[in-house]
Amino acid sequence: VTQYWLDHYFSDPQYYRIDDRPAVFIWSPDNIRRDLGGSENAAKLYAMSQEMARAAGYKGIYFAAMFGHHNEHGSAMLADEGYRGTTSYHGFGPLISQLGRRFPFAAVVEYGPTLWREETERNAGRMDYFPVVDTGWASEPWHGPGAMTITGRTPELLGKLCAEARRFVDARGSNRIVLGPWNEWGEGSYIEPYTEYGFDDLAAVRKAFCEPGSYPPNLIPADIGRGRRARSSARR
């Protein structure tokens, strides 16, 4: 797998790097640990990957864990295995135990800074922590009426959460957050332009993280006469 990364991805100038190292975010460190028979064997695997990257002319690989760092033991184990950073797919997990399986997005906004602070403190001295800005959750398309649902998400609330995340990292001399998901439609977690709010979510993200300026207009195909009929005619 590492050789495939080297052959196909790391050399791309657009490939994301942290500390001048190609970044690889591992979804489930637990699965790698399980498949290899334990943490010690996992550490050997990551060390092998680092050696291959250095032999190919890189400073190494920046491994970040998506899960497994939510307690002291897990955090220490990841650091020992060779991870340098952590983040999460979502940050609202602890709210479920407090509020049940249905709660407002305003609660996610309120809780975000507390989560980021706790995770930063837990990983301090071991790994970096990248705050996660949630884009919502409402998975009824997949799980039906019993789905876990976060209600009342608006571009204004998303923008507020983004602004909180920026203040959080600015205060710590960092400039990295995780934002997403972008288009998990079945999970109700998205900011890609959509019917209800159009480009407003992206405008809120831009306002929080970008300098003011003159940006191109937001357009969809229909705005320039490229609706369904136009595409059909073009094919003929």
Side-chain angles (χ1 to χ4, degrees), residues 12-236:
D12 188 324
Q14 297 185 88
Y15 192 91
Y16 188 62
R17 298 186 180 208
I18 300 175
D19 297 341
D20 201 27
R21 293 167 169 80
V24 176
F25 285 66
I26 300 294
W27 176 258
S28 180
D30 288 345
N31 286 350
I32 293 179
R33 195 178 298 137
R34 179 201 63 203
D35 292 349
L36 292 171
S39 183
E40 184 176 338
N41 289 337
K44 293 177 182 178
L45 184 78
Y46 294 121
M48 185 186 302
S49 290
Q50 298 286 11
E51 290 173 7
M52 294 174 67
R54 286 191 287 268
Y58 299 95
K59 290 184 177 181
I61 299 171
Y62 189 104
F63 284 109
M66 299 291 290
F67 290 96
H69 53 87
H70 303 302
N71 56 60
E72 291 288 342
H73 174 70
S75 179
M77 190 157 47
L78 289 170
D80 289 343
E81 289 172 355
Y83 285 90
R84 299 192 60 180
T86 65
T87 189
S88 302
Y89 182 51
H90 286 287
F92 54 73
L95 287 175
I96 299 173
S97 61
Q98 302 173 33
L99 303 176
R101 294 177 60 78
R102 188 177 182 88
F103 51 87
F105 191 77
V108 179
V109 177
E110 181 179 358
Y111 175 68
T114 299
L115 170 73
W116 307 331
R117 184 179 65 255
E118 291 174 349
E119 293 283 4
T120 299
E121 292 172 353
R122 184 179 300 118
N123 289 287
R126 297 190 184 111
M127 297 173 289
D128 303 320
Y129 171 71
F130 308 131
V132 57
V133 171
D134 277 296
T135 60
W137 185 276
S139 61
E140 293 96 329
W142 285 356
H143 304 133
M148 201 202 89
T149 303
I150 298 177
T151 61
R153 195 201 70 169
T154 65
E156 290 75 19
L157 286 172
L158 177 64
K160 183 177 180 180
L161 186 59
C162 288
E164 292 283 0
R166 177 164 184 168
R167 280 191 288 270
F168 184 88
V169 295
D170 284 350
R172 288 157 179 79
S174 176
N175 63 354
R176 291 185 176 91
I177 68 158
V178 171
L179 171 66
W182 165 259
N183 58 359
E184 283 285 8
W185 301 105
E187 293 177 352
S189 187
Y190 48 81
I191 55 174
E192 189 176 36
Y194 55 104
T195 300
E196 185 178 14
Y197 289 117
F199 289 84
D200 289 356
D201 285 343
L202 296 181
V205 173
R206 178 193 290 166
K207 182 178 179 181
F209 297 113
C210 300
E211 296 300 322
S214 178
Y215 292 97
N218 294 321
L219 300 174
I220 62 174
D223 292 329
I224 55 173
R226 300 294 294 176
R228 189 188 331 178
R229 292 182 181 177
R231 290 197 302 273
S232 178
S233 298
R235 284 198 298 271
R236 288 199 295 270

